[in-house]
Amino acid sequence: MNPEKDFAPLTPNIVRALNDKLYEKRKVAALEIEKLVRESVAQNNAVQIKHVIQTLSQEFALSQHPHSRKGGLIGLAACSIALGKDSGLYLKELIEPVLTCFNDADSRLRYYACEALYNIVKVARGAVLPHFNVLFDGLSKLAADPDPNVKSGSELLDRLLKDIVTESNKFDLVGFIPLLRERIYSNNQYARQFIISWILVLESVPDINLLDYLPEILDGLFQILGDNGKEIRKMCEVVLGEFLKEIKKNPSSVKFAEMANILVIHCQTTDDLIQLTAMCWMREFIQLAGRVMLPYSSGILTAVLPCLAYDDRKKSIKEVANVCNQSLMKLVTPEDDEPDEMKPGVQRPVEGNPDSSLARQEASATAGADGSYDSSFSSSVSVFTPSSAERAPMTLDLDGIVQVLNCHLSDTAIGMMTRIAVLKWLYHLYIKTPRKMFRHTDSLFPILLQTLSDESDEVILKDLEVLAEIASSPAGQTDDLGRPDGPDLRASHSELQVPSPSRVGLLNTPGTKGLECSPSTPTMNSYFYKFMINLLQRFSSERKLLEARGPFIIRQLCLLLNAENIFHSMADILLREEDLKFASTMVHTLNTILLTSTELFQLRNQLKDLKTLESQNLFCCLYRSWCHNPVTTVSLCFLTQNYRHAYDLIQKFGDLEVTVDFLTEVDKLVQLIECPIFTYLRLQLLDVKNHPYLIKALYGLLMLLPQSSAFQLLSHRLQCVPNPELLQTQDGSQAAPQSQKAGPASIDYAELLQHFEKVQNQHLEVRHQRSGRGDHMDRRGVL
């Protein structure tokens, strides 16, 4: 500093003392400056006051010499003390040089800057609020200062500033929020602690409504919640808890939509505390905001569904996620099935789907998946305005939801509970929004069929419920799908083509039940036959599925849909099956289900008497397919009490190739005759006069069997047949032999017998072809 320079009105002694390295001498100079400024205030000499402040600022506080800077700081503080209540007129000139010293490399100088600013603020009180942002910015930097003395000084200044803000009603929250939003993304733990403490203070002031600006700082709060310091995490938990309490008290003033995507992102983090807290917020948002959350459903499900498969280590998160899932599901109502243009008050979003912004946020958040955060993240989180929230439509994002559900169901790594939840969602959507859901059926159909191979029975049950709803919903009629705004579903998948009229013909009989378009009764739409075709195709390509789960799947479908329709359609499809071995195996499976399952009790009773035209049509349809397996054909005749035709069929067995598999099936049939299903048949053996062909048919089976346990079983049964002479009545009259009647007039048994022979010849040709190829291969091997 140039000693010859004129610093008037500062005397040379004051200047010399301000530049001294000793604090005591600088303090004496400060007292002289205070006296000088007081005299200027008394004389109302504003020009001299400004000159003194400017000199202390430019020549001392901003000097290159460290001792001069220290003298300038204490001098500025003395000016503020001398000015008293008038210091507010000169605050800008007083504060700016002090804040500049906050960045000084000398820790002692930074401490003196804190001390000087403390004195300035203490005198000015509420007058410093217009300069709050620059003060806050400086303090936020000192909060992370490595020197403990500087940090201690900044804490004193911080407490003073908080007291001033708390007691004032002129705080400019609008101007402060951008700075808070920027600083909240700091990674320094002390800076984070400083930020959290200020949010707590502002939240406690009645005149400050920080809730209006929560969308701008919520993401930063959740990132601070992931801090490594327990104290900071605890403070952040308290802040978030206070905000949530206020949200519950005043839900009408909360901008739920603007914070939905922020919660979705943090519900997917790997930090348990962040995830649990975000999930709890999501639960409250769904319950408080209701249908306002519908546009964000796909994002919410993306976050919630994987949590449902958590184990007991994350039990709390799983339970909250389950509540979120159930609450969100309840928001979907039949009104969501109406065309969007028909809904009152619905406006199209100006900036696209709300979940598109979520995708951008998720992309930016991916880099921080390990728990580390960067302040650049703040720029990727969209800031909503109240006007945009008001324009947001409360419509269901069905396309996005279906895409999420399809993705989760296709992921084989997803847990069982998540898969069950996905299937429950699909079932719920088909119930509540069937017309819109059928636009997505062709994309969902393959994965639903694939899910039938799942390891869990519970998953398969839910999957069958969805498929049954698709197959029975009135909205699945082809005419309903042919809307101009929807895709052409009928041409989407070649394997799902509607069968030709000739193939559907047998289904359009008077016996087809449930054609009323009522959700409570089974109906058949254009997807029913597609389902049956694809189910049989799956059984054909996955024989293990047929063996392990085939009966279970078919029995459950018979409970969910109309059993007669299922057997009628499968028989019709199998009649045209080119793989005769599979057809025989499938017929055997269906026959076993028909004869043994409690679910088919009503259908068995319907077939037992063949009294109605519907039951006769069903018998003929089943019979033609059952011909793929000779023994099952006989068992069907036993079930329908066509004993004479059964006897005629057994006579044809002499022309068939008797194999071990054939004899095994005869053995099983004998075992089945001894079961409760055929109790009526065994009782009819008492009526020898009226059922001679039943006895002949059983003797025919006996003659086919080798000397085995089954042979002994049937032989013992036939030995119990009484002598007809002993059963004659006193008058000697006898009833007309029922089994000798031709049966229902509408059934051409001769034609059925010819069909049986034709099918068996086809099977024989196939076996001979396979045998010929095998012999040829053997000969090649020998050569």
Side-chain angles (χ1 to χ4, degrees):
M1 180 177 292
N2 186 3
E4 304 296 331
K5 193 172 183 179
D6 182 18
F7 293 102
L10 297 181
T11 65
N13 289 334
I14 294 176
V15 172
R16 191 164 44 251
L18 286 175
N19 286 307
D20 200 283
K21 64 180 181 178
L22 296 177
Y23 172 75
E24 289 76 11
K25 291 186 178 182
R26 294 196 302 270
K27 186 174 182 180
V28 171
L31 293 174
E32 292 295 325
I33 292 173
E34 182 180 344
K35 181 180 178 182
L36 177 65
V37 173
R38 287 185 190 277
E39 291 174 357
S40 298
V41 172
Q43 298 170 5
N44 199 21
N45 190 349
V47 175
Q48 183 166 303
I49 295 172
K50 285 186 177 180
H51 184 66
V52 171
I53 294 174
Q54 185 177 7
T55 300
L56 289 171
S57 173
Q58 299 296 325
E59 303 297 334
F60 290 89
L62 301 179
S63 170
Q64 297 296 321
H65 196 277
H67 298 310
S68 298
R69 291 200 296 274
K70 295 174 185 176
L73 290 171
I74 197 170
L76 290 171
C79 289
S80 177
I81 295 172
L83 287 168
K85 62 179 182 179
D86 292 332
S87 63
L89 301 173
Y90 308 95
L91 277 177
K92 187 175 187 296
E93 293 79 5
L94 289 169
I95 290 175
E96 285 184 352
V98 178
L99 289 174
T100 302
C101 292
F102 276 9
N103 299 318
D104 199 284
D106 187 352
S107 61
R108 292 296 298 169
L109 204 144
R110 294 198 302 274
Y111 174 79
Y112 288 133
C114 281
E115 186 179 46
L117 189 57
Y118 179 87
N119 289 317
I120 294 171
V121 173
K122 185 177 182 180
V123 172
R125 302 297 292 184
V128 301
L129 290 179
H131 308 276
F132 178 81
N133 278 14
V134 292
L135 294 175
F136 182 89
D137 183 52
L139 279 174
S140 67
K141 296 174 182 176
L142 288 186
D145 198 284
D147 188 273
N149 292 323
V150 176
K151 193 179 299 180
S152 176
S154 69
E155 290 173 357
L156 287 174
L157 176 58
D158 180 52
R159 283 197 292 269
L160 174 62
L161 199 57
K162 286 173 180 173
D163 291 340
I164 295 172
V165 170
T166 303
E167 66 190 24
S168 173
N169 58 358
K170 296 181 180 179
F171 181 73
D172 182 14
L173 182 62
V174 176
F176 172 61
I177 287 298
L179 178 62
L180 177 62
R181 182 174 180 272
E182 177 188 348
R183 286 285 179 260
I184 204 169
Y185 287 101
S186 172
N187 287 327
N188 185 279
Q189 60 176 349
Y190 297 107
R192 285 179 164 183
Q193 193 169 7
F194 172 78
I195 294 290
I196 291 295
S197 67
W198 266 102
I199 293 176
L200 272 172
V201 169
L202 295 176
E203 177 65 13
S204 66
V205 178
D207 295 333
I208 296 178
N209 186 12
L210 196 57
L211 189 62
D212 283 345
Y213 302 92
L214 182 57
E216 306 216 25
I217 62 174
L218 183 62
D219 176 69
L221 286 173
F222 272 105
Q223 295 198 32
I224 293 177
L225 189 61
D227 193 272
N228 294 327
K230 292 182 179 180
E231 185 179 352
I232 297 176
R233 290 168 74 101
K234 187 64 179 177
M235 288 178 63
C236 194
E237 275 191 272
V238 173
V239 170
L240 288 168
E242 291 299 319
F243 274 123
L244 195 56
K245 287 179 183 177
E246 192 171 348
I247 287 172
K248 292 178 182 179
K249 291 179 182 177
N250 306 291
S252 58
S253 60
V254 179
K255 301 171 183 177
F256 291 104
E258 299 180 15
M259 294 182 279
N261 286 341
I262 297 173
L263 294 181
V264 166
I265 291 174
H266 293 289
C267 281
Q268 300 176 73
T269 185
T270 56
D271 187 289
D272 289 354
L273 179 59
I274 296 177
Q275 189 176 29
L276 177 60
T277 306
M279 199 68 72
C280 289
W281 275 61
M282 184 68 76
R283 175 191 62 197
E284 300 300 331
F285 272 37
I286 296 172
Q287 294 176 351
L288 293 172
R291 291 179 62 83
V292 172
M293 302 298 287
L294 280 181
Y296 307 91
S297 300
S298 59
I300 295 172
L301 286 176
T302 300
V304 167
L305 287 174
C307 300
L308 301 178
Y310 284 172
D311 55 24
D312 289 342
R313 289 174 294 180
K314 295 186 177 183
K315 184 178 180 181
S316 299
I317 299 174
K318 179 180 179 179
E319 291 175 349
V320 179
N322 187 52
V323 175
C324 290
N325 183 56
Q326 297 296 328
S327 300
L328 186 64
M329 191 178 292
K330 291 177 182 177
L331 297 180
V332 182
T333 61
E335 70 179 66
D336 292 307
D337 204 28
E338 299 174 3
D340 293 340
E341 59 271 11
M342 294 176 60
K343 296 181 181 178
V346 171
Q347 302 180 26
R348 297 289 181 182
V350 178
E351 298 179 357
N353 192 297
D355 286 314
S356 62
S357 63
L358 170 63
R360 293 193 296 271
Q361 293 183 44
E362 287 177 333
S364 62
T366 303
D370 59 348
S372 62
Y373 296 95
D374 186 78
S375 59
S376 61
F377 180 91
S378 60
S379 61
S380 67
V381 181
S382 58
V383 180
F384 299 87
T385 61
S387 57
S388 68
E390 292 169 3
R391 291 196 303 267
M394 291 188 294
T395 55
L396 183 68
D397 177 27
L398 189 60
D399 292 349
I401 290 177
V402 171
Q403 184 178 1
V404 170
L405 297 177
N406 198 340
C407 179
H408 280 78
L409 198 59
S410 303
D411 188 355
T412 56
I414 289 294
M416 180 189 73
M417 297 308 297
T418 296
R419 297 170 72 81
I420 291 173
V422 169
L423 293 166
K424 286 182 178 179
W425 259 102
L426 289 173
Y427 182 78
H428 184 73
L429 291 173
Y430 272 109
I431 294 294
K432 298 297 183 181
T433 60
R435 293 175 63 85
K436 288 185 177 180
M437 275 301 294
F438 268 95
R439 300 175 182 176
H440 303 278
T441 298
D442 279 353
S443 64
L444 290 170
F445 211 80
I447 186 61
L448 288 172
L449 286 169
Q450 184 179 340
T451 306
L452 291 175
S453 302
D454 197 274
E455 297 178 355
S456 167
D457 286 350
E458 193 172 352
V459 171
I460 294 176
L461 280 173
K462 294 300 176 185
D463 189 38
L464 290 173
E465 287 182 11
V466 179
L467 287 167
E469 182 60 30
I470 292 174
S472 62
S473 174
Q477 298 296 343
T478 305
D479 293 341
D480 292 338
L481 297 175
R483 283 175 281 183
D485 58 342
D488 186 1
L489 299 181
R490 287 168 291 178
S492 299
H493 294 269
S494 59
E495 65 173 354
L496 297 180
Q497 295 301 311
V498 179
S500 62
S502 62
R503 298 192 65 174
V504 189
L506 285 174
L507 293 178
N508 298 328
T509 64
T512 300
K513 295 186 178 181
L515 294 180
E516 303 83 13
C517 293
S518 170
S520 61
T521 59
T523 60
M524 287 198 307
N525 55 36
S526 56
Y527 278 95
F528 177 85
Y529 211 91
K530 298 175 186 179
F531 178 28
M532 295 297 106
I533 292 174
N534 283 272
L535 180 60
L536 290 176
Q537 287 178 351
R538 194 153 192 86
F539 284 152
S540 177
S541 59
E542 294 186 32
R543 298 299 172 88
K544 290 184 179 179
L545 175 64
L546 175 60
E547 295 172 6
R549 298 292 180 84
F552 172 73
I553 291 172
I554 295 171
R555 281 169 38 224
Q556 293 302 319
L557 284 176
C558 289
L559 290 175
L560 296 167
L561 296 169
N562 186 285
E564 179 182 345
N565 292 344
I566 291 173
F567 272 78
H568 210 310
S569 58
M570 284 191 170
D572 180 54
I573 296 166
L574 289 171
L575 188 61
R576 295 155 179 80
E577 176 61 49
E578 295 179 357
D579 186 347
L580 298 184
K581 185 176 181 180
F582 166 71
S584 177
T585 303
M586 193 67 220
V587 163
H588 176 74
T589 301
L590 290 172
N591 185 68
T592 303
I593 296 171
L594 176 63
L595 294 180
T596 61
S597 299
T598 56
E599 296 87 351
L600 296 174
F601 175 79
Q602 185 177 355
L603 186 59
R604 284 196 296 272
N605 284 343
Q606 183 181 344
L607 287 168
K608 189 179 295 183
D609 297 324
L610 300 181
K611 292 181 179 179
T612 63
L613 182 60
E614 291 84 352
S615 61
Q616 294 167 18
N617 287 338
L618 177 61
F619 166 72
C620 291
C621 179
L622 296 180
Y623 181 95
R624 295 179 186 279
S625 288
W626 263 230
C627 287
H628 283 295
N629 190 307
V631 180
T632 60
T633 313
V634 172
S635 66
L636 179 63
C637 291
F638 282 163
L639 175 65
T640 55
Q641 302 186 65
N642 282 297
Y643 301 136
R644 179 166 185 171
H645 192 70
Y647 171 73
D648 292 339
L649 286 173
I650 293 173
Q651 292 299 307
K652 298 291 183 181
F653 283 6
D655 300 330
L656 302 180
E657 182 181 2
V658 179
T659 62
V660 174
D661 291 340
F662 176 84
L663 293 176
T664 301
E665 292 195 22
V666 176
D667 188 297
K668 291 180 179 179
L669 177 57
V670 171
Q671 302 289 340
L672 201 59
I673 291 173
E674 296 298 320
C675 293
I677 298 296
F678 282 113
T679 299
Y680 68 93
L681 181 146
R682 298 195 300 273
L683 289 174
Q684 287 173 347
L685 291 175
L686 296 173
D687 192 359
V688 178
K689 292 292 186 181
N690 290 327
H691 301 288
Y693 284 102
L694 170 59
I695 299 174
K696 287 186 177 183
L698 293 177
Y699 269 109
L701 292 178
L702 185 67
M703 295 302 106
L704 289 172
L705 287 168
Q707 298 287 330
S708 61
S709 58
F711 177 89
Q712 298 297 329
L713 185 65
L714 184 56
S715 176
H716 290 161
R717 174 65 65 183
L718 291 174
Q719 288 173 13
C720 297
V721 175
N723 188 334
E725 300 296 330
L726 300 177
L727 298 178
Q728 287 186 352
T729 57
Q730 291 181 357
D731 58 2
S733 61
Q734 297 181 8
Q738 295 178 6
S739 61
Q740 297 182 50
K741 296 180 181 179
S746 59
I747 299 179
D748 187 349
Y749 286 96
E751 189 273 332
L752 292 179
L753 198 59
Q754 292 176 2
H755 178 77
F756 174 82
E757 294 176 345
K758 176 183 176 182
V759 172
Q760 291 307 310
N761 287 332
Q762 292 174 350
H763 278 267
L764 186 61
E765 290 177 5
V766 170
R767 284 196 294 270
H768 285 169
Q769 291 174 0
R770 291 175 179 172
S771 176
R773 288 197 297 269
D775 293 342
H776 179 65
M777 294 297 293
D778 291 343
R779 288 193 294 272
R780 289 181 59 188
V782 171
L783 293 175

